[in-house]
Amino acid sequence: MLITGAVLREMGASRPYVSSQPLEIMRLHLDAPGESEVLVRVEAAGLCHSDLSVVDGNRPRPMPMLLGHEAAGIVEAVGPGVDPKLLGQRVVTVFLPRCGECPECRTDGRLPCRNGSASNGHGTLLSGDRRLHSETGTVNHHLGVSGFATAAVVDVRSVVAVGDDVPAVVAALCGCAVLTGGGAVINAGQMKPHETVAIVGLGGVGMAALLVARAVAEGNARLIGIDQNPDKLATAKDMGATEVYTPASAVEAGVIADLVIEAAGHPRAFETALEITAPGGRLVTVGLPAPDARSSIAPLGITAGARTIIGSYLGSSVPSRDIPIFVDMWRSGLLPVERLATRTIGLADLNGALDELADGHAVRQVIEFA
């Protein structure tokens, strides 16, 4: 079938992206779903820093590639071996499928799936195949999803079904921002209701972590938002942060937290996060810095203060288990996921939206398809 999608042909385009236009909106051919695959009509897709990191070259991927990994839509066809009951259901896409067979898949979410990570790196689906083609050749898949398109073929292990009552925008954001940020709070950080929690980096993942921490705290904890951007500090305050600081002012004020979530993906943010982690506290880092980024820390403070540093990819989540948990939190009114969507855009707006994201102005910009 023919689809319309946003394809990146080369990484490292110059800024502003609204001028260099790294993403080309084009027509592509999408193959029918193969064994254990489904065809999803995409309804909504969020623009995440992981997309920007491919555009600017910080996360090298095979080119050309149809970007987008945080999406939701309706299953319109299923391949061999897929339960036909999925037809017509709204699903959330997951950017790291779990094969269920490798040793990493038996770590209860602590480690990323070996086979899913390998296929993501190669630009394929979990099967090793590609289903996208342009006039000039095969197009790679982004993190097994390629959600910046009117439709996508994905492995069935890359989707989680949710009810029709869940709006597409809410469903899409549960697949990355909420799963990563919320999972860092609940799975990796194992937050307790009375604990002081600080979030360093208030993009989509950081704001999602704040919302989930607020839900867990039930109004009984200090929730601290930290970011360089004053607009994001104001938004965090509006979303339930009891205190907000810039990184410098947090250190100057002597902020200390039992649980710190680092969601900025910057080496200086990691240093700030460790500095404000209380003795005996936990620092969970979910940000994805450039591969050559380095931080300078004092190891003695980790040893003498019995501080724990926890790496967490995808919020240490098992998507099939955790997405329904977050959806139920949304249903109960505890988790207002829709507040993360600060702007609705179209495919044609993506290059300008990349500038908004790179400049630190956006929380989550979401494409809504007709």
Side-chain angles (χ1 to χ4, degrees):
M1 66 181 291
L2 287 175
I3 65 169
T4 303
V7 175
L8 179 68
R9 293 199 176 276
E10 293 182 0
M11 295 177 288
S14 59
R15 296 279 317 276
Y17 296 125
V18 71
S19 298
S20 62
Q21 297 282 301
L23 293 179
E24 180 182 351
I25 310 305
M26 58 189 298
R27 298 284 278 174
L28 302 103
H29 182 81
L30 180 66
D31 295 339
E35 182 83 23
S36 299
E37 295 172 357
V38 297
L39 169 68
V40 178
R41 174 173 54 84
V42 181
E43 298 176 293
L47 176 60
C48 172
H49 209 279
S50 293
D51 302 301
L52 175 61
S53 294
V54 179
V55 174
D56 65 20
N58 277 326
R59 305 294 291 179
R61 299 289 179 186
M63 296 287 111
M65 176 171 278
L66 199 166
L67 291 189
H69 63 280
E70 181 185 71
I74 303 297
V75 175
E76 295 204 329
V78 300
V82 178
D83 189 340
K85 290 180 181 178
L86 264 182
L87 284 168
Q89 292 199 45
R90 177 166 290 139
V91 294
V92 177
T93 62
V94 178
F95 67 84
L96 181 66
R98 289 196 165 273
C99 71
E101 300 167 359
C102 68
E104 289 80 359
C105 277
R106 295 191 286 273
T107 64
D108 198 34
R110 188 173 64 85
L111 293 177
C113 169
R114 178 185 303 180
N115 294 319
S117 298
S119 62
N120 282 356
H122 293 142
T124 70
L125 301 182
L126 197 54
S127 64
D129 295 326
R130 296 173 178 84
R131 304 295 180 207
L132 292 162
H133 312 278
S134 71
E135 291 183 356
T136 56
T138 300
V139 174
N140 292 286
H141 296 266
H142 185 217
L143 301 178
V145 177
S146 290
F148 291 164
T150 51
V153 166
V154 301
D155 191 280
V156 71
R157 287 162 288 188
S158 290
V159 298
V160 176
V162 294
D164 292 340
D165 62 313
V166 186
V169 169
V170 170
L173 296 177
C174 283
C176 177
V178 175
L179 196 60
T180 302
V185 171
I186 292 177
N187 297 323
Q190 298 187 2
M191 177 190 169
K192 301 172 183 62
H194 65 276
E195 289 187 307
T196 296
V197 179
I199 315 294
V200 181
L202 297 171
V205 170
M207 288 292 190
L210 173 62
L211 289 179
V212 171
R214 187 184 71 167
V216 173
E218 300 174 350
N220 297 320
R222 287 176 67 199
L223 303 177
I224 302 166
I226 299 173
D227 200 282
Q228 292 279 17
N229 188 310
D231 292 337
K232 287 185 177 178
L233 295 181
T235 300
K237 193 77 172 175
D238 190 48
M239 287 192 181
T242 55
E243 304 163 40
V244 294
Y245 299 90
T246 63
S249 65
V251 172
E252 184 178 339
V255 169
I256 294 293
D258 304 301
L259 173 61
V260 181
I261 309 296
E262 184 279 302
H266 191 282
R268 302 293 85 78
F270 177 80
E271 293 169 5
T272 297
L274 183 58
E275 188 163 354
I276 67 172
T277 301
R282 291 99 64 212
L283 163 58
V284 178
T285 176
V286 295
L288 293 174
D292 59 351
R294 297 292 183 270
S295 294
S296 177
I297 62 174
L300 180 61
I302 302 172
T303 304
R307 294 171 174 87
T308 302
I309 300 174
I310 305 166
S312 177
Y313 190 74
L314 190 61
S316 307
S317 297
V318 177
S320 60
R321 175 195 69 198
D322 293 339
I323 287 176
I325 291 173
F326 291 127
V327 167
D328 283 344
M329 292 172 71
W330 171 81
R331 286 192 179 103
S332 70
L334 287 172
L335 188 61
V337 175
E338 60 277 358
R339 297 192 63 187
L340 297 173
T342 50
R343 181 180 172 218
T344 299
I345 61 174
L347 272 176
D349 303 317
L350 268 172
N351 286 300
L354 285 170
D355 285 317
E356 288 287 305
L357 181 59
D359 290 336
H361 299 316
V363 176
R364 264 305 189 266
Q365 301 170 91
V366 181
I367 303 166
E368 285 196 84
F369 294 88

